[in-house]
Amino acid sequence: RIPWDGEVQADLVVDRKARAAAAAAQEAKAEKHEEPNDATPGTEAEAAERVQRAEDRVQIVETEAGQALESAKVMVEGEVTEDNLKVVDELLHAQLQVLNEANKVLAGDIMDARKTAPKAVMRLTKLAPRVRTVQASLAQEIKAGKQLAAKKKQEAEDAKKRVAAEEKLMIAEQHDAKALEDALPEAMEAAAQAEELLDTVIAAASPLASEEEANAITSAAIKETEAAVVKAMIGLKQARTHINQKIAAAKQYAPEARKVALTEFSTLQDKLNDIQKKISPYSRIRKELEHRLEGKKVMAEVAQKMGEAELEVEKVVNVLSGTKP
């Protein structure tokens, strides 16, 4: 230690700049000794080998992924089964796993190269987009496969529902066809009975066609006809009600049975309408007979008066001509 008030020594000098330069040179020498020089042939060869290995790995996974994609496309062409889609999904997921591992290895190579071979970093980094492109292609194909699988699953479910619906419809058709087979004869019988009642009305009114004047026969025929008409109208109403009920039930039938049933019952309805039209005139039989007889009476009176008038005319003519009648 030098005292502050000591004597000045001519050969003792403190040079700060020289001392700093010496320290920097020492550090540079140490760093040069610790870090390998990238320019050395050994380091460049190692970097080139590292890049080549990485490129080979990427090339292999690209080729395998391309083959997997081609296989997947072939397997989803034409008639695709659920098993095919399952195999495709497993194939693509396996290949995607390989790519993920390759990407991890490449990322490790890049990190390691930054420390030991910086010149290899750029070439290694250029390989990453190639891996990601293949990954994206696989992911897209996996998504498409899932969508197709979902579509096929839905189609299978729809087909299953259609088969179940068709079976249900077939059972309903058979059931309703049997119901129609039981109901139709009853409705036909009701219409036939109404037609028989019409025949009864016609038969009761038949004596009135030949009678020229009111008498016991016409009176009895009118009463019998009116009674037959009342009975026929009641029977017609019952038949119509019966058939309308059958039609209402038939509207609930399965399509084919409903179509047949409505056609048959509509035909019977038309028959009842026709019977109604034929019965209606007989409900006015008494008045029609009275009008007819009154008309005949008037015509007879007119004919008599015309005869008398002709005689009077003849007398006048004879008088005028001077001839006696």
Side-chain angles (χ1 to χ4, degrees), residues 201-222:
V201 171
I202 295 172
S206 60
L208 301 175
S210 58
E211 291 298 324
E212 299 295 330
E213 59 182 17
N215 52 41
I217 295 176
T218 57
S219 179
I222 288 174

Side-chain angles (χ1 to χ4, degrees), residues 66-278:
Q67 292 173 348
L69 289 169
E70 287 297 323
S71 299
K73 289 179 180 179
V74 171
M75 293 182 72
V76 296
E77 289 178 353
E79 188 66 25
V80 182
T81 64
E82 186 177 349
D83 291 338
N84 284 354
L85 291 173
K86 184 177 180 181
V87 171
V88 167
D89 187 68
E90 291 175 352
L91 174 65
L92 295 178
H93 270 95
Q95 195 59 46
L96 185 61
Q97 183 63 31
V98 172
L99 276 166
N100 291 338
E101 291 299 326
N103 198 33
K104 289 180 181 179
V105 173
L106 180 60
D109 286 345
I110 293 173
M111 291 181 63
D112 189 47
R114 292 184 191 279
K115 298 177 181 178
T116 59
K119 289 186 177 181
V121 172
M122 183 175 294
R123 293 177 63 186
L124 290 172
T125 304
K126 290 181 179 180
L127 297 176
R130 290 169 59 182
V131 176
R132 288 195 294 270
T133 298
V134 181
Q135 283 177 314
S137 298
L138 284 171
Q140 183 177 358
E141 196 65 28
I142 289 172
K143 181 180 178 181
K146 288 182 177 179
Q147 291 174 343
L148 183 57
K151 180 181 177 183
K152 289 296 179 181
K153 183 179 180 180
Q154 186 62 47
E155 289 176 352
E157 291 178 356
D158 292 343
K160 187 176 180 180
K161 289 179 181 178
R162 282 196 302 271
V163 170
E166 289 172 359
E167 290 178 354
K168 184 178 180 181
L169 179 60
M170 182 179 67
I171 293 172
E173 289 285 3
Q174 292 174 348
H175 175 271
D176 294 340
K178 181 64 171 61
L180 175 60
E181 185 179 348
D182 295 336
L184 187 56
E186 295 177 1
M188 293 175 68
E189 178 63 23
Q193 289 177 359
E195 194 168 23
E196 290 176 1
L197 292 172
L198 171 62
D199 294 338
T200 302
V201 171
I202 295 172
S206 60
L208 301 175
S210 58
E211 291 298 324
E212 299 295 330
E213 59 182 17
N215 52 41
I217 295 176
T218 57
S219 179
I222 288 174
K223 289 181 179 180
E224 185 179 353
T225 301
E226 288 176 338
V229 167
V230 171
K231 188 176 180 180
M233 295 299 288
I234 294 173
L236 185 64
K237 182 179 179 181
Q238 291 174 344
R240 197 184 299 280
T241 300
H242 182 82
I243 292 175
N244 286 340
Q245 290 174 347
K246 298 300 181 185
I247 290 175
K251 288 181 179 179
Q252 306 303 317
Y253 286 179
E256 289 301 318
R258 178 171 63 243
K259 181 179 178 181
V260 175
L262 292 179
T263 300
E264 294 292 340
F265 291 137
S266 295
T267 300
L268 293 177
Q269 266 192 332
D270 293 340
K271 189 174 183 179
L272 293 181
N273 291 336
D274 187 55
I275 293 172
Q276 174 79 52
K277 291 177 182 179
K278 291 178 179 179

Side-chain angles (χ1 to χ4, degrees), residues 10-72:
D11 58 346
L12 181 61
V13 179
V14 177
D15 191 346
R16 296 178 179 271
K17 292 183 178 180
R19 185 176 180 181
Q26 186 67 25
E27 289 178 3
K29 183 177 179 181
E31 289 177 0
K32 185 175 181 181
H33 178 73
E34 290 175 1
E35 296 182 2
N37 190 349
D38 245 6
T40 60
T43 304
E44 289 183 356
E46 289 177 2
E49 184 179 356
R50 181 191 299 270
V51 171
Q52 187 61 51
R53 286 198 305 269
E55 288 179 344
D56 290 344
R57 283 196 302 271
V58 171
Q59 182 63 45
I60 290 171
V61 294
E62 282 180 330
T63 301
E64 291 178 348
Q67 292 173 348
L69 289 169
E70 287 297 323
S71 299

